[in-house]
Amino acid sequence: MLEVENLWVRYGTVEAVKGVSFSVPAGSIVSLIGANGAGKTTSLRALTGLVKPGAGELRFGSTSLVGLAPHQVVGLGIAHVPEGRRLFPKMTVLENLTMGAYRRSRADVASTLIMVYEHFPILKERGRQLAGSLSGGEQQMLAIARALMSRPKLLLLDEPSMGLSPIMTAEVGKIIRQINALDVSIILVEQNAMLALTLAQYGYVLQTGQLVMQGKAQDLLRDEGVKKAYLGL
Ligand SMILES: Nc1ncnc2c1ncn2[C@@H]1O[C@H](COP(=O)(O)OP(=O)(O)OP(=O)(O)O)[C@@H](O)[C@H]1O
Ligand SMILES: [Mg+2]
């Protein structure tokens, strides 16, 4: 579904991503793990047109994503849940959800809302509440739900467990599985390598902008180097 080949991104003099390649088979969950500053967020931002790659090929099916604006990428069926959630805190929950569907017809929005509320009943209850007044876990659910409002085929999740309690992290994990079961492919970026590799089928390890390891998630979970560096075992 997605092929990234030899991606390079720089910010001024900082080489943030240095020749990274990865792929996402249709229907799968693929995770990118790595420490602070490894280039995980930058890789996602390159996919959705938020930063311009210096070099590399990004293919979504047969379409190249290089040079597309973010709204065009959304139109192709890729939605991005950014690091730090980036909700509109002074807008209501329902308004935030509607923003996720700004490219779609009113009838589509109504039917998608029904689907989203099935998965996130709490957001229906809290529809008129300001997004900024939700708990951290609820805000993360809203950020994911807002992305689903565009009916993506591929969902990019940037550190969905950040700042959440273990119980909320488990909830987010459950939701990620449910979304994947709806035939939405997922790229899961996480510092929480345990969560990421438990959910994903395949994983890539990034270190200072470079790919240092890749493999089946179950193999990475058993790898001594990964255990020491990323799983705290
Ligand atoms: N807007 C920016 N301007 C300049 N440098 C940046 C910018 N954003 C990121 N960087 C640098 O690019 C590199 C990769 O950062 P990136 O945010 O992609 O890493 P990350 O893996 O997502 O890290 P984290 O786990 O902390 O979110 C780092 O050296 C970072 O300091
Ligand atoms: Mg990041």
Side-chain angles (χ1 to χ4, degrees):
M1 168 171 265
L2 180 84
E3 283 285 351
V4 172
E5 249 174 54
N6 193 28
L7 174 65
W8 288 75
V9 186
R10 65 174 351 169
Y11 299 103
T13 56
V14 180
E15 293 278 11
V17 174
K18 301 179 272 198
V20 164
S21 302
F22 59 91
S23 60
V24 182
S28 67
I29 303 180
V30 166
S31 74
L32 306 182
I33 62 172
N36 279 321
K40 307 182 297 297
T41 294
T42 304
S43 299
L44 295 189
R45 291 172 62 86
L47 288 173
T48 41
L50 293 166
V51 293
K52 212 171 146 264
E57 188 45 75
L58 311 169
R59 261 187 318 274
F60 183 58
S62 55
T63 310
S64 172
L65 300 176
V66 177
L68 296 188
H71 71 277
Q72 295 173 309
V73 176
V74 174
L76 291 175
I78 302 180
H80 189 162
V81 182
E83 185 174 348
R85 300 161 196 145
R86 305 292 188 96
L87 296 171
F88 302 102
K90 299 218 162 111
M91 288 165 61
T92 66
V93 167
L94 178 57
E95 286 165 345
N96 270 272
L97 289 172
T98 312
M99 288 300 287
Y102 73 100
R103 293 176 57 86
R104 307 188 54 230
S105 72
R106 203 174 272 227
D108 279 354
V109 172
S111 66
T112 308
L113 258 182
I114 291 172
M115 180 276 286
V116 161
Y117 284 155
E118 267 171 32
H119 291 279
F120 303 91
I122 189 80
L123 297 181
K124 188 172 186 185
E125 273 171 43
R126 304 266 155 103
R128 290 174 186 280
Q129 213 170 303
L130 295 185
S133 71
L134 300 178
S135 72
E138 288 163 354
Q139 289 195 18
Q140 188 59 58
M141 297 296 185
L142 177 53
I144 296 172
R146 180 182 59 181
L148 290 178
M149 290 298 294
S150 70
R151 288 273 187 179
K153 301 183 195 103
L154 174 66
L155 186 66
L156 315 183
L157 293 171
D158 197 343
E159 307 236 19
S161 80
M162 188 164 58
L164 301 186
S165 68
I167 290 176
M168 276 318 300
T169 298
E171 281 297 309
V172 166
K174 224 160 73 188
I175 279 289
I176 291 172
R177 279 216 173 89
Q178 283 177 20
I179 293 167
N180 183 236
L182 300 173
D183 208 24
V184 177
S185 309
I186 294 175
I187 301 180
L188 176 58
V189 157
E190 268 293 342
Q191 279 200 31
N192 183 338
M194 184 62 93
L195 175 74
L197 296 176
T198 308
L199 292 169
Q201 286 92 45
Y202 204 82
Y204 293 86
V205 183
L206 286 173
Q207 198 175 305
T208 55
Q210 284 173 313
L211 210 60
V212 292
M213 203 187 292
Q214 61 175 289
K216 284 187 190 158
Q218 61 200 43
D219 294 339
L220 292 177
L221 275 172
R222 280 196 293 260
D223 182 89
E224 287 305 321
V226 171
K227 273 189 188 169
K228 260 203 202 105
Y230 300 105
L231 299 173
L233 299 173

